Amino acid sequence: MPEFLNKNMPYHGVTPHLVPFLPYIEKTDDSPLDGAWRPADSLSRPIDVAVIEGWLGECDGSHWCHSQSRKQRSKPAWVVDVKRRCVVAYKKGEYVALSYVWGPNCDTGSICLVKGNLEQLRQVGGLDKVGGLPRTIADAVRLVGELGVGYLWVDRLCIVQDDLKEKGRQLVGMAGIYEGAYFTLVAAQSADASGPLSSRPLQRSRKGSWWGALLTLAPGVGLIGKRKEEGDMPWRRPVNNREVMNSHSIDLLRTVWFQRGWTFQEYLFSRRRVVFHNNTVNWECLCVSLHEHQQRLSYIPTNKLLFSRLDHWPSFHRFARLSALFAPRFLTFAEDVHDAFSGAGNHFAATFPGGLISGLPGGCFFDAALLWQPYSPMEKRHPSNQVRMGEEVLPSWSWLTYRGNVQSESWAAGWSYLATSQHEGGWQVFPTVHWEHSETKDSPRHPASSLETRTHIPDSEDWKESDGHYTHPSIPDTVFSRPIPLPRPHQPQPAVAQRSRYLHCTSKHTTWTLHPKAYHAFAGNCAILALLDQSGNLAGHLRLNTSESDIRHHIPTNPVDLIELSRGQVELQPHSPGSAQTEKEERLDMLQRDLSFPFPVPLMEELKARKAKEKELVLHPLADVFDEWSLPLWPEARNKSVYEFYNVMWIKWLDEGETVAERVAVGRIEKGAWEGRETVVRAVIIA
C-alpha cells in the first residue's frame, strides 16, 4: 500500500505506522468538541496569550516532557535576552527556540549576527539600535517576554554567521539546541521571516478565565457552539477534537515551513511546540496536542510516551519513514542537505552499528539500504556556485541527493528482522559484494558493508527466544525474527554521520537488453523498463527516476551496463487466508481512489483495467514494490512459493576508462537468468 491512505485505518485514513511522524494527530482523542469552538476566520479576533500560558502550566505541572533527562545535549553559544533586548552569551536558564522560514526577503536589510556587530548587539537595547529586525523574530521576542521566559534562541541572531568554525559546531548541535529548549515556537504562518507570527493580534484576556474573553469576542457563539449564519457557510462543524487536529495537521503539512529542509530536525527534536499557522495556534508536547478552543485538556498518563519518533536501537523501519518525510523538502542550497538531516542522521549513526554513510545505514544494513527507489520521479539536488566543483557530497547512490518522494517500502528488506504483523513480507537480502566508501576518489577507504548475514551479537545472552521469535529486555515492546546487533551503551564519543562521495566495489558486470516499451509503476508515476534475457523473455526490471511519458521515446536500443548489488528472495504466499483477502481488497480499493494525501499520487490508467481482475493480482504486502509482478510479460508460473533474484544497478560510465560510474536505476533480475548470463568481475567506483 502507498504511504498515507487507507480508509479502514484510524486517524482519518492515516496508516498507524506513519502517525508518530505527522503533527498533532497521534496525541489527540475523540472527546466531543467544546461548545466554544469556531474556525479562525476573523483576523480581528485575537489569540489569547493566556491560552499558551495554560498549556505550559499544565505540561509543567502534569507531564514529564520538559523534565526528562537529556544526555549529551548541545547548548547554544548565544541567546537573545528578551527583556534587555540584546544578545548575550548563554550560560544557563530556560530559553525558547524559534523555528521559522528565513526566506529570501530577509537576506538584505535585516539583522544577522556577524563578527562586525557582535559587540553592538551585546549592548542593552542593541536589537533596537541596529534595526532591521524581521517581523517574525520581533513578534517572537515580544511573545517570549510576555510569557515570562528570559531568552530566545534564533539562528540568525545566535550563530555568528561569518565565524565558520563556530557556525559548524552550532549546526552539528542544532538538534540538541531544539531538544533542550523550554519549548519551540513554530512560526509556520508566514512564508518567510518578514511576515508576522500570526495574522491575528495577540493579547492577554482581561477576564480571569481566558474562555470568557473568547466567548465575548465571538458573537453568535453560544454554549452549543452554533453560528447564526452556519447554514450559509461551506464548512462542516467538526464532531470531535480529533477531527480538528487532523484538519490542522493537513494544513501544517501544506505550509512553506513544513516543506523546508531545515525545519525537519527542528520539529523532530523539539519536546514541546507552540505552533502558529493558518490563523490559529496549537500545542503539541510528548503527551498531548491541543487546539486553542479546546476547553477540556485531554489526560494521557505521564509515565509513558505514547509514540516515540526515535528509537535507541537500529530501527531501519523508523529510518525509512523519517527519510521519506524528509526527502520532499526544499533547500536553498542543495549542499546543505547533510546538515539539514544531521540531527536525525547523527542519531541513526549512533544506533546503527555500521553508522550512517551519506544517508544510508552501514554494516549489515548497507546492502538493503542501497535498494532505495523513487515513489515518483525525484529532482536531483545540484550544488550552488558557492561550492567548488568536485567538493560537493551529492552522490548518485544516495537518496539525499534527490528531492521528492522516496518509497520507504523499497527498504523493506532492511527491517526483515522485525516479526510484527505490519512488517510482513519475507523480503531478505544476502550480501554478495563488499562495499567501501571514501570522501574523495583517492582518499583512504572505509568499510561500508558487512558480508556476514548474521553479524556477531556481543550481548546475545540477553536475547530471549520463544516460538521462533526473539525479544530483548532493552526493547520490550518489539518482537524480532532474529537477534540484531545493538549499539554499545556507552560510546566514548558521540557518533556523527559520515559524508562520502564515492563507493568502491568489485562486482559482477554485464550488459543487458531492454524491452522497447516502458510501463508505469503500479504505485507512483515512475517508468518501469523490462529486462530481456538472451531468448527475448522477461527476466527482470528496472525502475527509473523518470515518468513513462518522458522515457517512452528514448529507451536505449543498445544493451545497458548492469552490476550486481546483492542476492535476494521473497516469500510469495500470503501469511493467512484472512491477510490474503485484506491485501486483495486493499489493492482493488487503491485502484478506485485518488491518492492525494499528503503528496499527490496519480493513478495508473493503463494498469487499472488489467489489475482489477482478481486472478491477476499478486497477493503480497510488497506487491507495490516488486514492479515486475505488474508487468504484462511477467509469467504467472513465477508467482509460486519463493521468488529468488539478484538486485542490480544500471550504471552510466563517467570516464573513458570505465572505472567511475553513476547510478541510473536499480532493479531485479530473476536468479536463474542472472546466473545463466556470462559476467565479468571488475572494480567499479560509483560517484
Side-chain angles (χ1 to χ4, degrees):
M1 281 292 291
E3 287 283 290
F4 288 94
L5 280 184
N6 188 328
K7 70 177 183 180
N8 297 318
M9 294 295 182
Y11 309 109
H12 293 267
V14 180
T15 51
H17 64 259
L18 280 180
V19 167
F21 309 107
L22 300 180
Y24 307 144
I25 56 179
E26 66 162 338
K27 305 183 194 97
T28 188
D29 59 22
D30 295 314
S31 58
L33 197 64
D34 295 315
W37 181 88
R38 63 175 295 152
D41 56 352
S42 173
L43 300 185
S44 63
R45 185 173 294 107
I47 291 175
D48 198 330
V49 175
V51 174
I52 303 173
E53 284 183 330
W55 291 335
L56 287 166
E58 175 72 16
C59 188
D60 285 342
S62 303
H63 301 168
W64 51 272
C65 306
H66 184 60
S67 61
Q68 187 184 25
S69 62
R70 296 176 290 274
K71 297 180 180 179
Q72 297 179 342
R73 174 167 57 89
S74 302
K75 296 182 179 181
W78 304 92
V79 289
V80 173
D81 185 321
V82 298
K83 184 176 181 180
R84 300 168 66 218
R85 299 186 63 80
C86 61
V87 173
V88 298
Y90 178 73
K91 296 181 180 179
K92 62 179 181 178
E94 304 285 11
Y95 64 90
V96 175
L98 179 65
S99 178
Y100 70 110
V101 179
W102 189 310
N105 292 337
C106 292
D107 283 341
T108 58
S110 298
I111 298 178
C112 272
L113 180 63
V114 292
K115 295 177 182 178
N117 63 11
L118 176 58
E119 289 304 317
Q120 186 176 10
L121 287 174
R122 294 184 66 181
Q123 299 175 11
V124 176
L127 294 180
D128 302 314
K129 296 175 182 178
V130 173
L133 198 64
R135 173 70 184 278
T136 297
I137 298 175
D139 287 355
V141 170
R142 285 192 291 269
L143 177 60
V144 171
E146 182 72 17
L147 292 172
V149 184
Y151 303 116
L152 171 70
W153 186 91
V154 52
D155 55 0
R156 69 182 301 136
L157 294 179
C158 301
I159 298 178
V160 181
Q161 300 297 320
D162 55 355
D163 186 337
L164 298 183
K165 187 175 181 179
E166 178 184 308
K167 186 175 182 180
R169 286 196 300 265
Q170 292 286 281
L171 290 177
V172 170
M174 191 78 76
I177 290 174
Y178 280 90
E179 185 181 21
Y182 182 55
F183 71 88
T184 294
L185 184 58
V186 175
Q189 176 76 29
S190 302
D192 57 51
S194 65
L197 190 62
S198 175
S199 296
R200 296 163 59 196
L202 276 71
Q203 70 177 38
R204 184 180 297 278
S205 169
R206 295 182 179 179
K207 299 190 176 183
S209 170
W210 43 271
W211 284 103
L214 181 64
L215 294 173
T216 302
L217 290 166
V221 179
L223 293 179
I224 61 173
K226 182 177 178 64
R227 298 180 61 181
K228 294 179 180 179
E229 68 274 20
E230 185 173 333
D232 300 327
M233 295 299 292
W235 52 268
R236 177 183 68 83
R237 187 179 190 275
V239 175
N240 54 41
N241 290 314
R242 187 181 302 282
E243 285 197 5
V244 175
M245 297 311 290
N246 185 70
S247 174
H248 288 181
S249 178
I250 295 173
D251 287 340
L252 185 58
L253 290 173
R254 292 170 175 166
T255 62
V256 173
W257 174 86
F258 194 87
Q259 297 173 30
R260 299 297 297 175
W262 285 106
T263 61
F264 174 78
Q265 64 180 358
E266 297 169 7
Y267 179 83
L268 180 65
F269 286 91
S270 298
R271 295 172 177 268
R272 310 196 299 180
R273 312 171 193 90
V274 174
V275 188
F276 286 88
H277 68 101
N278 296 82
N279 301 321
T280 189
V281 62
N282 299 303
W283 167 269
E284 184 176 20
C285 64
L286 297 178
C287 296
V288 297
S289 64
L290 304 166
H291 56 86
E292 63 175 308
H293 304 305
Q294 192 166 345
Q295 189 168 7
R296 292 184 294 273
L297 304 184
S298 302
Y299 175 76
I300 294 177
T302 59
N303 61 348
K304 183 178 180 180
L305 178 61
L306 183 62
F307 284 101
S308 174
R309 289 182 171 84
L310 293 169
D311 299 298
H312 62 276
W313 52 278
S315 177
F316 202 119
H317 183 260
R318 183 130 307 180
F319 160 81
R321 302 305 182 190
L322 285 173
S323 299
L325 289 176
F326 177 83
R329 295 180 176 239
F330 292 90
L331 288 162
T332 303
F333 303 104
E335 60 269 20
D336 290 342
V337 66
H338 293 276
D339 287 329
F341 191 68
S342 64
N346 292 338
H347 169 83
F348 289 122
T351 56
F352 284 98
L356 203 74
I357 305 160
S358 293
L360 299 182
C364 61
F365 302 96
F366 190 74
D367 296 277
L370 273 178
L371 304 182
W372 66 270
Q373 294 278 24
Y375 191 67
S376 53
M378 301 175 71
E379 176 186 353
K380 190 170 185 178
R381 301 184 192 270
H382 295 286
S384 68
N385 54 15
Q386 297 182 7
V387 179
R388 289 186 295 182
M389 184 176 297
E391 293 186 354
E392 73 280 1
V393 185
L394 295 170
S396 66
W397 46 271
S398 172
W399 64 274
L400 279 175
T401 301
Y402 304 85
R403 193 200 68 78
N405 299 337
V406 62
Q407 186 173 24
S408 58
E409 284 88 355
S410 63
W411 274 316
W415 61 78
S416 61
Y417 54 80
L418 294 175
T420 53
S421 59
Q422 70 177 16
H423 306 102
E424 292 178 351
W427 184 5
Q428 297 186 64
V429 168
F430 305 96
T432 61
V433 177
H434 178 62
W435 298 93
E436 296 179 313
H437 66 97
S438 65
E439 296 181 7
T440 66
K441 190 167 60 174
D442 301 318
S443 61
R445 303 179 187 181
H446 308 280
S449 65
S450 171
L451 286 173
E452 298 295 329
T453 57
R454 298 290 186 269
T455 57
H456 173 64
I457 312 298
D459 55 348
S460 57
E461 65 276 6
D462 293 333
W463 288 92
K464 304 298 181 183
E465 189 269 338
S466 177
D467 297 327
H469 291 160
Y470 295 83
T471 56
H472 194 276
S474 66
I475 321 168
D477 298 327
T478 305
V479 181
F480 297 82
S481 61
R482 65 176 186 269
I484 61 171
L486 299 177
R488 291 178 295 174
H490 302 290
Q491 298 192 40
Q493 294 182 352
V496 176
Q498 301 178 71
R499 305 177 186 186
S500 288
R501 185 182 181 191
Y502 294 94
L503 272 185
H504 306 261
C505 72
T506 299
S507 177
K508 293 179 181 178
H509 166 266
T510 187
T511 57
W512 214 274
T513 303
L514 297 172
H515 188 274
K517 178 176 172 56
Y519 297 89
H520 284 290
F522 183 81
N525 194 32
C526 287
I528 303 301
L529 297 184
L531 292 165
L532 304 179
D533 62 19
Q534 292 171 318
S535 300
N537 299 318
L538 178 64
H541 86 290
L542 296 164
R543 183 190 292 197
L544 272 62
N545 185 36
T546 187
S547 65
E548 182 271 337
S549 59
D550 289 338
I551 195 65
R552 64 173 60 161
H553 300 302
H554 307 285
I555 299 176
T557 56
N558 295 326
V560 297
D561 291 279
L562 300 181
I563 61 170
E564 179 181 311
L565 299 180
S566 54
R567 182 173 62 86
Q569 69 178 37
V570 62
E571 299 175 6
L572 287 179
Q573 296 297 334
H575 291 264
S576 67
S579 66
Q581 180 64 23
T582 300
E583 291 158 17
K584 180 183 70 175
E585 292 175 355
E586 288 179 352
R587 285 174 63 77
L588 289 173
D589 181 63
M590 187 188 74
L591 293 169
Q592 308 301 324
R593 294 184 286 114
D594 178 17
L595 306 177
S596 57
F597 175 79
F599 307 115
V601 181
L603 291 175
M604 290 59 68
E605 299 294 336
E606 178 182 341
L607 293 175
K608 184 182 294 186
R610 185 179 67 81
K611 295 305 295 184
K613 298 178 181 179
E614 178 181 342
K615 65 179 182 179
E616 296 189 11
L617 289 174
V618 178
L619 301 180
H620 193 276
L622 296 172
D624 298 330
V625 178
F626 282 75
D627 299 306
E628 58 267 49
W629 298 344
S630 298
L631 295 176
L633 304 173
W634 188 252
E636 289 189 14
R638 288 182 181 161
N639 298 336
K640 307 293 183 182
S641 186
V642 176
Y643 170 39
E644 297 182 280
F645 52 87
Y646 279 86
N647 298 300
V648 297
M649 179 185 290
W650 175 8
I651 59 173
K652 177 183 177 182
W653 298 110
L654 298 178
D655 62 338
E656 294 182 358
E658 295 188 349
T659 58
V660 182
E662 65 178 356
R663 165 184 161 141
V664 179
V666 166
R668 284 174 292 274
I669 293 179
E670 190 270 333
K671 179 182 176 183
W674 179 258
E675 292 180 345
R677 193 67 170 261
E678 183 176 350
T679 59
V680 176
V681 177
R682 64 185 303 177
V684 180
I685 302 174
I686 307 176

